[in-house]
Amino acid sequence: MNFVCRPARIGDAASCAPLVFASGEAEFGYMFGVGADECIAFLRDAFGSRFGRFSYRRHRLAVDVGNEPCSILAIHESGKVVVDDLVFAWQVLRHFGVTRAVGVLMRGARLAMELPAPSRGQALIAHCATHAAYRSRGALTALMTSVLDGEGAQRCFVLDVRLDNVRARALYCRLGFKAMPKRRAPGKPGLPDGLASERMGVDRSERAEPQRLLQRRSSLR
């Protein structure tokens, strides 16, 4: 099936919020401390904002012939971490109120130890998910490829994958991602079981080399 990859739009909020939630149901449930419906309500509001890591401006989509989102991901650059944290704090305060926001921000900080911000010169790919009706049909592969092979200044992309998500890890390996050296043992104390993750990365110059070799071989035939 062919998919069109495009930037997300503010009008995509209602259809994209459940997809963003699906990218990390356990993580969002832990951080916000509420059920799926309220998590999605927060993500829908945040997706409609022009700013922050949940904004529609950070997300890209693979859509079908009817322009319905099939797959989603977000791209976060290292230079925007501080502003993103401030925007997130404001969004949490506005949505949950002061008393509940304190717990959300504390759990969010704990989760950030397991899912750290990108280092300088890196771009973090996050919120990767595919609608259930389009899984195993190449939507996320098409979307990831459009990002990795697209124009842009970033050379190194990183992402985090849960240790128990074998299927997603296999996809990322096929796209050229490799496990990065651990700065510490996975599984930060205080996090629920099952939230331990592995950071993977790909250098675009290394990814491009096999493609150049294939093109060179084709030209010699």
Side-chain angles (χ1 to χ4, degrees):
M1 182 173 182
N2 293 325
F3 298 94
V4 174
C5 299
R6 65 166 174 85
R9 303 164 185 159
I10 192 169
D12 297 318
S15 55
C16 286
L19 274 177
V20 174
F21 177 69
S23 72
E25 294 182 10
E27 290 84 353
F28 287 125
Y30 164 74
M31 180 168 63
F32 293 128
V34 295
D37 289 345
E38 191 166 356
C39 286
I40 292 172
F42 172 87
L43 294 170
R44 184 172 59 247
D45 291 344
F47 194 91
S49 171
R50 287 175 52 83
F51 306 102
R53 58 177 60 95
F54 296 112
S55 169
Y56 69 94
R57 298 173 71 186
R58 297 288 181 85
H59 289 79
R60 291 190 59 83
L61 307 175
V63 300
D64 62 12
V65 293
N67 203 31
E68 286 298 315
C70 305
S71 194
I72 192 169
L73 60 76
I75 304 173
H76 306 307
E77 297 176 4
S78 57
K80 298 180 179 180
V81 173
V82 174
V83 174
D84 284 351
D85 287 345
L86 292 173
V87 171
F88 178 66
W90 166 245
Q91 290 172 335
V92 168
L93 282 166
R94 186 177 60 181
H95 188 90
F96 292 100
V98 175
T99 302
R100 295 169 68 192
V102 172
V104 173
L105 295 175
M106 289 179 64
R107 291 189 294 272
R110 201 173 298 137
L111 188 60
M113 301 286 287
E114 184 68 30
L115 306 171
S119 301
R120 187 174 182 178
Q122 295 178 341
L124 173 67
I125 297 177
H127 306 163
C128 300
T130 300
H131 192 286
Y134 293 93
R135 289 173 188 162
S136 300
R137 299 173 71 176
L140 185 56
T141 298
L143 184 55
M144 292 281 288
T145 300
S146 74
V147 170
L148 297 176
D149 295 342
E151 298 294 330
Q154 292 291 349
R155 283 189 56 201
C156 182
F157 286 92
V158 298
L159 55 77
D160 297 292
V161 58
R162 289 245 306 261
L163 296 182
D164 59 2
N165 196 343
V166 178
R167 187 173 181 178
R169 191 183 190 284
L171 168 62
Y172 302 146
C173 286
R174 289 197 299 271
L175 291 169
F177 285 85
K178 299 177 182 178
M180 300 180 71
K182 294 185 178 68
R183 289 178 289 181
R184 56 170 183 75
K188 179 67 180 175
L191 287 179
D193 293 339
L195 294 189
S197 65
E198 176 182 46
R199 176 144 292 187
M200 303 181 74
V202 60
D203 189 299
R204 291 177 66 176
S205 62
E206 294 179 0
R207 174 180 161 78
E209 186 61 30
Q211 296 177 349
R212 285 195 293 268
L213 289 174
L214 286 174
Q215 293 171 353
R216 186 180 304 169
R217 289 171 184 170
S218 298
S219 66
L220 295 175
R221 290 175 183 172

